[in-house]
Amino acid sequence: MNVVKWTSVALFSIAAVAALPASAQGILRVGMTASDIPLTTGQADNGGEGMRFMGYTVYDGLINWDLSSADKPSDLVPGLATSWSVDATDKTKWTFKLREGVKFHDGSDFTAESVVWNLDKLLQDKSPQFDPRQSAQGRTRIPAVASYKAIDKDTIEITTKVPDATLPYQLAWIMMSSPAQWEKVGKSWDAFAKTPSGTGPWQLTLFVPRERAEMVPNKSYWDKTRVPKLDKLVLVPLPEANARVAALRSGQVDWIEAPPPDAVPSLKQAGFKIITNVYPHNWTWHLSRVEGSPWNDIRIRKAANLAVDREGMKELLSGLMIPAEGFFPPGHQWFGHPSFKPKHDVEAAKKLLAEAGYGPSKPVTTKILISASGSGQMQPLPMNEFVQQNLAEVGIKVEFEVVEWNTLINIWRAGAKHDSARGASGMNYSYFIQDPFTGLVRHLQCNLAPPAGTNWGYYCDPEMDKLFEQVRNTFDKTAQTAILQKVHEKYVDDALFLMITHDVNPRAMSAKVKGFVQAQNWFQDFSPIAIAK
């Protein structure tokens, strides 16, 4: 049933985009892994891919990411705020100086009141502009925020609930929509979705759900170095991997996300470029810690981590992965020195399971939620089947429940105790590990269990919470790094996730695509790209 569903969507999307010229000069057509166009109103859905294609294109945050280099990890840079600082005497108070002269696509001014209005649309359910769909995407990104106010036209003050050095990373997720455009279209987010207005380098000109979106350059963009070179950027939902390859080969798209590994050699032979780079990503099973979950036993968690043949999976993926040795990739500045190493050791896994009272004749049973495609999910069906076989060998019997990617995201936000989790004790989820809050804190802090946050498995450990508190209260980056290493060591030594692999973010594209720099980031800059004649 799932195969029929995905294939029909893919064929519909290819047919829709076929109406565009196959080699139009200056038009870049991208085949996404998403099954629908990401939410266009500001806070995109569809995970990191949604933000990549419909967040940082049409919109800006107060703080953006530097996406200009392929050779170093990305860091935060000024966006709609030119600077930010925390009060020396009260570290819950932050001041943001805003960029002057910035206009939304509709011509209205961006001001401090615009920021207040946008935070209200996410956090204040009594405000006229409150949008449940955007709030679902954005509220959990900024749990530190207690209050905010405009000081003057170009200054905003944000107060956090407790001192929190991770606030700038949190705010980098929050995109600014135009209050004036929302008023103009009748105070309707559904109407706004069709003609959205942000401040970003791209302006949306066509939006056809499940079919395509088209954008043109914002020639008045405030950062003149990032005014797009292309004439048009077209997004096409193609969730089925082979359908993406077919669209690329036939010239109906110029670029595809996540090509299937077995297609890579022939794509190279046909003259297509395969672009990869390390980036802050992991591919895990997030384990439930609610009462009755088998994953409450550290011996079972460690046994599962020792059962996975990561080198075998690397061969399955034609080398397009980095085997996991932790939640972060080897060599990362926050990796630290864990004492436990996830590796392929079947006998050690069996021994741990035997100690826990299990084995091939009496297997551990677990249901795992997985998706058939999605942002950062790599090749989830064959990869999960591979892990399933590995775990069966040592005495862990896995049943899969396959759901659509956005559905999986909604289950993740609802939590393992919610009826939507369908009794599962784990889910396969690829994580953005780009900053301390998003990469570590949000998954395991006690008070961020749903609905307050995205601690899906309801993990709660006072020792971990104490480390998170130290991270928040350490504003010196070097000192904060030392604490983050301790956090990661606990992640690994307690085997808090099934840590499987890290993606290398492969993309396949036409040789005509020029100027793309694949940043070490989930997000990418499409502004420098051109299509060669």
Side-chain angles (χ1 to χ4, degrees):
M1 183 174 69
N2 282 305
V3 173
V4 173
K5 176 185 175 184
W6 292 116
T7 303
S8 63
V9 170
L11 292 174
F12 177 74
S13 300
I14 292 173
V17 79
L20 295 169
S23 58
Q25 174 60 28
I27 298 177
L28 175 67
R29 296 148 310 159
V30 176
M32 303 185 297
T33 71
S35 62
D36 198 0
I37 300 298
L39 190 63
T40 61
T41 45
Q43 291 305 129
D45 59 5
N46 276 285
E49 186 175 55
M51 285 291 289
R52 180 186 311 137
F53 288 114
M54 197 57 73
Y56 284 107
T57 46
V58 179
Y59 298 94
D60 288 301
L62 293 177
I63 299 169
N64 288 345
W65 286 96
D66 179 3
L67 304 174
S68 62
S69 174
D71 302 323
K72 61 182 180 181
S74 297
D75 207 346
L76 299 176
V77 292
L80 294 174
T82 56
S83 64
W84 52 93
S85 59
V86 65
D87 191 297
T89 58
D90 181 356
K91 294 196 182 299
T92 66
K93 293 191 181 299
W94 293 73
T95 300
F96 295 79
K97 300 299 293 184
L98 304 184
R99 195 174 297 278
E100 297 180 18
V102 174
K103 291 187 179 293
F104 288 101
H105 297 149
D106 59 274
S108 61
D109 292 330
F110 169 76
T111 66
E113 290 297 339
S114 307
V115 179
V116 172
W117 187 92
N118 273 277
L119 291 173
D120 280 350
K121 83 178 179 185
L122 304 178
L123 301 178
Q124 301 299 327
D125 58 8
K126 303 300 183 187
S127 67
Q129 70 272 26
F130 178 77
D131 181 12
R133 290 188 70 187
Q134 291 189 78
S135 180
Q137 308 303 323
R139 180 188 291 270
T140 58
R141 300 291 188 186
I142 47 173
V145 174
S147 62
Y148 40 89
K149 61 182 179 180
I151 304 300
D152 57 42
K153 180 174 175 289
D154 301 311
T155 310
I156 187 163
E157 180 182 276
I158 296 179
T159 302
T160 57
K161 296 166 186 172
V162 295
D164 197 335
T166 72
L167 179 67
Y169 293 106
Q170 295 181 34
L171 289 174
W173 283 95
I174 306 305
M175 302 289 102
M176 297 292 149
S177 311
S178 167
Q181 180 70 357
W182 182 78
E183 295 273 353
K184 181 180 177 181
V185 298
K187 301 182 178 180
S188 163
W189 284 113
D190 287 341
F192 188 97
K194 299 173 184 175
T195 55
S197 177
T199 63
W202 296 90
Q203 185 167 359
L204 190 73
T205 55
L206 180 67
F207 168 54
V208 184
R210 301 189 72 82
E211 186 176 321
R212 72 181 184 274
E214 297 183 4
M215 305 176 199
V216 298
N218 173 13
K219 298 294 188 183
S220 302
Y221 187 54
W222 54 266
D223 184 350
K224 299 307 177 188
T225 66
R226 291 190 58 226
V227 173
K229 295 181 180 180
L230 290 165
D231 297 317
K232 188 181 291 185
L233 176 62
V234 180
L235 306 179
V236 185
L238 292 171
E240 205 280 313
N242 289 325
R244 290 196 296 277
V245 172
L248 181 64
R249 287 185 180 279
S250 64
Q252 292 171 326
V253 297
D254 312 291
W255 163 318
I256 60 172
E257 299 284 283
D262 59 0
V264 167
S266 62
L267 285 171
K268 287 181 177 178
Q269 285 181 345
F272 294 100
K273 296 187 290 187
I274 306 296
I275 309 295
T276 64
N277 200 357
V278 62
Y279 79 126
H281 167 281
N282 64 28
W283 195 91
T284 69
W285 284 7
H286 193 146
L287 308 175
S288 169
R289 301 300 295 275
V290 303
E291 186 178 356
S293 170
W295 305 113
N296 285 320
D297 191 323
I298 189 172
R299 295 168 297 186
I300 296 175
R301 298 197 304 272
K302 284 190 170 182
N305 273 283
L306 293 170
V308 177
D309 180 6
R310 295 167 184 82
E311 290 299 327
M313 181 176 284
K314 187 173 183 178
E315 186 176 343
L316 173 73
L317 296 175
S318 299
L320 297 177
M321 62 164 268
I322 299 169
E325 295 181 13
F327 201 70
F328 281 82
H332 192 280
Q333 65 267 29
W334 300 339
F335 194 89
H337 302 280
S339 59
F340 174 66
K341 182 176 179 178
K343 59 183 178 179
H344 190 217
D345 191 334
V346 170
E347 293 309 311
K350 288 180 176 179
K351 182 179 179 182
L352 283 167
L353 285 178
E355 290 175 7
Y358 296 96
S361 60
K362 184 190 174 185
V364 175
T365 59
T366 180
K367 180 193 281 188
I368 305 295
L369 293 152
I370 69 173
S371 65
S373 67
S375 170
Q377 291 294 90
M378 301 177 71
Q379 309 298 325
L381 295 181
M383 290 170 70
N384 275 301
E385 288 169 359
F386 186 89
V387 175
Q388 182 185 44
Q389 293 167 8
N390 288 165
L391 298 190
E393 184 181 353
V394 302
I396 301 174
K397 183 180 179 181
V398 178
E399 173 192 352
F400 288 134
E401 177 109 6
V402 184
V403 298
E404 190 267 339
W405 175 229
N406 251 357
T407 301
L408 190 67
I409 293 173
N410 291 335
I411 296 171
W412 171 65
R413 290 200 174 99
K417 294 180 180 179
H418 196 268
D419 289 345
S420 64
R422 311 175 196 198
S425 55
M427 66 161 59
N428 166 226
Y429 210 101
S430 56
Y431 280 123
F432 174 108
I433 49 174
Q434 203 154 287
D435 66 73
F437 174 75
T438 308
L440 293 168
V441 177
R442 65 173 175 156
H443 302 308
L444 299 182
Q445 184 168 298
C446 287
N447 64 3
L448 291 182
T454 53
N455 178 356
W456 178 80
Y458 292 83
Y459 170 90
C460 190
D461 184 326
E463 182 184 342
M464 184 70 88
D465 270 11
K466 185 176 180 181
L467 287 170
F468 288 155
E469 184 179 355
Q470 291 174 20
V471 170
R472 284 198 170 88
N473 281 278
T474 304
F475 291 80
D476 175 77
K477 198 166 186 177
T478 301
Q480 189 186 68
T481 294
I483 300 165
L484 288 166
Q485 289 176 350
K486 293 180 181 178
V487 171
H488 184 255
E489 287 167 2
K490 187 168 176 60
Y491 260 71
V492 181
D493 290 341
D494 290 355
L496 298 179
F497 288 71
L498 181 55
M499 296 167 281
I500 301 167
T501 189
H502 305 279
D503 195 5
V504 292
N505 211 11
R507 296 181 165 94
M509 60 191 69
S510 165
K512 292 183 177 181
V513 178
K514 305 294 183 183
F516 174 56
V517 175
Q518 182 146 308
Q520 294 183 26
N521 197 293
W522 273 67
F523 312 129
Q524 299 296 329
D525 186 4
F526 302 96
S527 294
I529 297 172
I531 301 293
K533 294 181 180 179

